[in-house]
Structure formats: C-alpha cells, structure tokens
C-alpha cells in the first residue's frame, strides 16, 4: 500500500472512485486553506490522477473529433473551455511531481504529454512553462538510462519550432534556445539538424521556392519515428489518444498514431502560415497580375488536363498543400489556389479582371470591399 501522510489518510481524495479526483486540490493554491492539500505529493495518488486525466482527454477527443474545426461559436467556446481544464489538471499533476522532485519515466511522460497537448490546444504560455522544466533537466536526470537522452529529440524539435514560431520573423529566440541545449539532444552532424538549418535559412532569405519541400511532412516525420522508438522502452504508463480517438487530422495521416508528431504538425502549420504571409507580401510587390488559366487540353501530348503554371507555382511557393494529405491532383491544386485568391479578393488584396477568366489584378494597397 502506498504511503499516505497521517493527516491525509482519511481525506476524500484517497477514497476509491473517480469522482473524488475531481476534488483534488492544487498544491500551489491550497496552502493555508486546505489541510489535506498535499495529496498530490503521494506517488500512488499521482499515478491515479494521471489515469483520471487520461479519461478526460479521451472523452474530449470523442466529443470533439475534428479539433479546432467548426464554425459553431458555442461549440468552439465549449471545446476551448474543456481544453483549458485539461491543461489545468496536468498543471496540478506537474506541481506534485515538482514538489516531490520526481524525475522517473512517469514524470517524463507527464511532462511530454502536457507539452504535446499544450501545443495542440495552442496554449503558448503553458508550452513555454512546460519546456522550462522538461528541457534539459528531466532528460539529464538519469544519465545511466541512454534512451532518456535519445528520446529528447522530438521534444527538442518541438521546443525549437515553438521558439521559431513565437519569434518570427526574428530567429534570435530560436538560436538562443538551440545553443542552450546539450549537443547530444540535436547532433550537429545529424539529419534533423541539417533539415532545421536549411529551413531557417529558407525563412531568413525568403526562399519561397523551397518552402513547400522543407515543410512537407516527409521532411521531418522520420525524426519523430526514430525518437519514439528510442524512448519506447521507458515504460510510460499511458499515452494520450488511441487509434479510435485521435485529434484533428490524425486519421488522414499514415503510420501509427504519435501525439508528438501531431504537435509538430500544428507548429509547422503555424510557421507555414507566417512564412506564407511574408511570401505573399513579396508577390504583391513584384507582380501586377496573376494568370491562373490552365493550358489548352490539346496542347498536352497526352491529352490529360494540366494545371496552370501560375497555379502550380502559387501552390508550391505559398505551401498551400495540406500536411495531412498526399500530393494533390490537378483539380485539388486549382481549387486550393482559387480559394486562396478568393479569400484575398475578399480582403481587397486582389480583384478579378473583368472579361478575363482566371486573371487577377494585384492590389498594391488593400482595397476595402
């Protein structure tokens, strides 16, 4: 039987039943108010509380299988409230781990899952707070277990992209964080480091011709697969999300479900969106018109439909292809570009050229519609 402090053995949170976990007091907010507020100092209670949170997360995915999608304001508000509550539960648990100086596999799993969910739920403050405790301290706490260091690769990449996204277009935060980490976490002669170096150079130089290629899922997925295999032996008690209840986009992506990889998709999409805005500004300053008509069918040797060279260029340069899909066919690509230009038309940044189908006039100064 797990040890219980004498004054807390009769506390309701120690009694069997899930409903009592709802009453778990926070260590940081119960001091002086709740004499039994230190229940989360007990290791057995910490593990029971982790299983309780897991149930909450799985229920959330069942109710909101499409993540951030949807236009119902009330449903979106309810979803966000649920996500905030889940992050609060994890924060309570981390307080207990910090108070007991717990640095085993269980603690690493709790911090990693907290990190992944904070990214998926787009809580930048939580992400920054979690990273300050997780990297590099928890991974270096047990140097005799090599997979702890090897398993830090996915967390390292997530942390670097988090700082790259928050600081964009400046990369100062990114480089400061990179230099603060042990080189064993991201070897300078490794493929992951070379990919990051190429991507950050692309962003600095506005080399939008390489944007799609360097932010495609195939460019980084293998690093998360290798990290998962390396850390798989840690014996983490539970992993958030199973094959039936996955967050947005997980079902459309190949391979086994990986929460860290889903978090990386979210960050990469965020970097893409910011880079896309920069690329679009460059395009607006450089071009007066965009011609998005496909070439005549009879001009093709095969007779098959071909995309407009301009549409193909726009789709690649603006990285419009979704991370969760394979290469789009001609119709999908044309539709993506049309939707993008229609959105910019609504914002007054382009307008359709009268009497010329597929031609758009670029407005140097946005025109109010």
């Amino acid at each position: 039987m797990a040890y219980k402090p004498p004054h807390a053995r009769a506390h309701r949170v120690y009694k069997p039943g899930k409903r009592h976990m709802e009453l778990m007091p926070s260590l940081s907010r119960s001091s002086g108010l709740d004499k039994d507020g230190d229940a989360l100092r007990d290791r057995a209670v910490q593990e029971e509380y982790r299983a309780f949170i897991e149930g909450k997360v799985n229920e959330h995915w069942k109710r909101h299988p499409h993540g951030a999608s949807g236009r119902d304001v009330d449903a979106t508000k309810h979803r966000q409230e649920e996500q905030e509550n889940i992050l609060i539960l994890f924060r309570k648990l981390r307080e207990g781990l910090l108070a007991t100086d717990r640095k085993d596999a269980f603690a690493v799993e709790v911090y990693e899952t907290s990190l992944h969910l904070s990214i998926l739920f787009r809580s930048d403050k939580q992400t920054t707070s979690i990273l300050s405790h997780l990297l590099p301290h928890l991974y270096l706490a047990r140097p005799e277990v090599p997979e702890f260091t090897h398993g830090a690769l996915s967390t390292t990449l997530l942390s670097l992209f988090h700082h790259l996204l928050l600081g964009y277009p400046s990369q100062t935060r990114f480089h400061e964080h990179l230099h603060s980490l042990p080189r064993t976490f991201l070897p300078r002669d490794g493929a992951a480091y070379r990919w990051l170096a190429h991507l950050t150079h692309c962003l600095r130089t506005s080399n939008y011709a390489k944007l799609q290629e360097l932010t495609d899922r195939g460019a980084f997925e293998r690093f998360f697969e290798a990290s998962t295999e390396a850390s798989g032996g840690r014996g983490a008690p539970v992993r958030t999300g199973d094959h039936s209840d996955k967050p947005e986009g997980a079902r459309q992506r190949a391979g086994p479900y990986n929460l860290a990889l889903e978090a990386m998709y979210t960050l990469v999409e965020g970097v893409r969106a910011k880079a896309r805005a920069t690329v679009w500004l460059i395009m607006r300053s450089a071009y007066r018109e965009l011609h998005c008509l496909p070439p005549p069918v009879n001009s093709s040797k095969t007779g098959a439909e071909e995309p407009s060279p301009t549409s193909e260029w726009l789709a690649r340069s603006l990285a419009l292809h979704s991370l969760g899909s394979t290469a789009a066919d001609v119709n999908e690509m044309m539709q993506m570009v049309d939707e993008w230009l229609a959105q910019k038309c609504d914002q007054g940044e382009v307008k359709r050229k009268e009497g010329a189908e597929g031609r758009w006039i670029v407005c140097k100064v946005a025109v109010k519609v």
Side-chain angles (χ1 to χ4, degrees):
M1 180 180 295
Y3 170 77
K4 302 180 181 66
H7 66 278
R9 288 174 184 170
H11 190 268
R12 55 194 172 184
V13 300
Y14 289 103
K15 297 177 182 179
K18 245 184 185 179
R19 68 183 184 280
H20 300 294
M21 289 296 171
E22 298 277 6
L23 306 174
M24 186 70 68
S26 169
L27 288 175
S28 62
R29 299 187 179 184
S30 61
S31 178
L33 300 176
D34 189 339
K35 66 178 182 179
D36 299 308
D38 60 353
L40 279 173
R41 294 178 184 272
D42 186 287
R43 290 198 168 203
V45 174
Q46 290 171 357
E47 291 167 13
E48 291 174 13
Y49 197 59
R50 175 66 184 91
F52 164 73
I53 299 174
E54 184 72 7
K56 291 284 188 182
V57 175
N58 287 334
E59 289 171 5
H60 172 75
W61 292 135
K62 288 177 181 178
R63 283 192 293 269
H64 307 284
H66 302 297
S69 62
R71 298 182 179 179
D72 188 317
V73 176
D74 292 335
T76 299
K77 183 178 179 181
H78 180 65
R79 173 181 53 78
Q80 291 173 343
E81 289 175 351
E82 279 191 8
Q83 292 175 350
E84 290 173 3
N85 289 335
I86 288 171
L87 294 179
I88 289 172
L89 295 178
F90 269 107
R91 187 183 66 196
K92 285 184 182 181
L93 181 53
R94 294 196 307 274
E95 288 177 0
L97 299 176
L98 189 62
T100 55
D101 197 30
R102 189 167 181 176
K103 298 176 181 178
D104 58 1
F106 175 82
V108 174
E109 188 278 329
V110 169
Y111 271 91
E112 286 179 341
T113 305
S114 299
L115 172 67
H116 303 156
L117 290 177
S118 70
I119 293 171
L120 286 170
F121 296 165
R122 293 173 172 80
S123 177
D124 293 338
K125 290 183 179 179
Q126 285 265 19
T127 301
T128 302
S129 174
I130 294 165
L131 285 171
S132 67
H133 294 284
L134 181 56
L135 279 175
H137 314 295
L138 278 183
Y139 291 109
L140 297 179
R142 297 175 64 189
E144 74 280 5
V145 185
E147 59 263 26
F148 266 61
T149 300
H150 296 157
L153 175 59
S154 61
T155 301
T156 297
L157 292 174
L158 290 172
S159 67
L160 287 167
F161 254 79
H162 169 68
H163 289 292
L164 185 63
L165 181 58
L166 287 186
Y168 186 90
S170 169
Q171 295 182 4
T172 301
R173 292 183 59 166
F174 168 86
H175 287 289
E176 287 177 349
H177 183 62
L178 175 62
H179 291 301
S180 72
L181 298 174
R183 292 202 169 202
T184 53
F185 286 14
L186 188 65
R188 300 308 190 255
D189 59 349
Y193 179 79
R194 289 195 296 272
W195 167 66
L196 268 178
H198 290 153
L199 177 57
T200 52
H201 181 266
C202 167
L203 296 175
R204 284 196 307 273
T205 59
S206 300
N207 183 8
Y208 48 83
K210 289 287 186 179
L211 181 60
Q212 174 74 48
E213 177 185 347
L214 290 171
T215 57
D216 184 74
R217 66 182 190 177
F220 59 85
E221 275 186 336
R222 63 189 187 277
F223 307 133
F224 286 80
E225 292 166 0
S227 180
T228 301
E229 291 171 2
S231 61
R234 289 207 298 261
V238 280
R239 273 291 174 190
T240 302
D242 55 29
H243 290 278
S244 61
D245 301 310
K246 300 177 183 179
E248 180 183 15
R251 291 189 180 90
Q252 286 71 42
R253 291 169 182 142
Y257 176 58
N258 183 330
L259 193 64
L261 187 55
E262 289 296 321
M264 189 63 175
Y265 287 139
T266 300
L267 291 175
V268 172
E269 287 285 16
V271 170
R272 269 188 172 190
K274 292 199 172 185
R276 189 178 293 131
T278 301
V279 172
W280 179 240
L281 281 176
I282 295 173
M283 290 180 175
R284 285 180 60 201
S285 64
Y287 298 97
R288 297 178 60 184
E289 289 189 15
L290 297 172
H291 302 176
C292 296
L293 279 176
V297 174
N298 56 12
S299 68
S300 170
K301 294 181 180 180
T302 62
E305 184 178 6
E306 291 185 359
S308 157
T310 302
S311 295
E312 192 173 14
W313 168 70
L314 283 171
R316 182 182 67 253
S317 301
L318 295 169
L320 295 178
H321 294 286
S322 171
L323 279 171
S325 65
T326 55
D329 62 25
V330 173
N331 292 330
E332 289 175 335
M333 185 183 66
M334 296 287 285
Q335 183 179 359
M336 285 189 298
V337 173
D338 286 344
E339 289 176 353
W340 167 264
L341 291 174
Q343 178 187 5
K344 294 305 172 183
C345 183
D346 292 340
Q347 296 171 2
E349 296 180 358
V350 296
K351 61 182 180 180
R352 299 179 188 274
K353 189 171 184 178
E354 294 183 8
E357 183 183 357
R359 294 197 174 192
W360 302 80
I361 297 174
V362 180
C363 304
K364 303 301 181 181
V365 178
V367 179
K368 292 183 178 180
V369 179

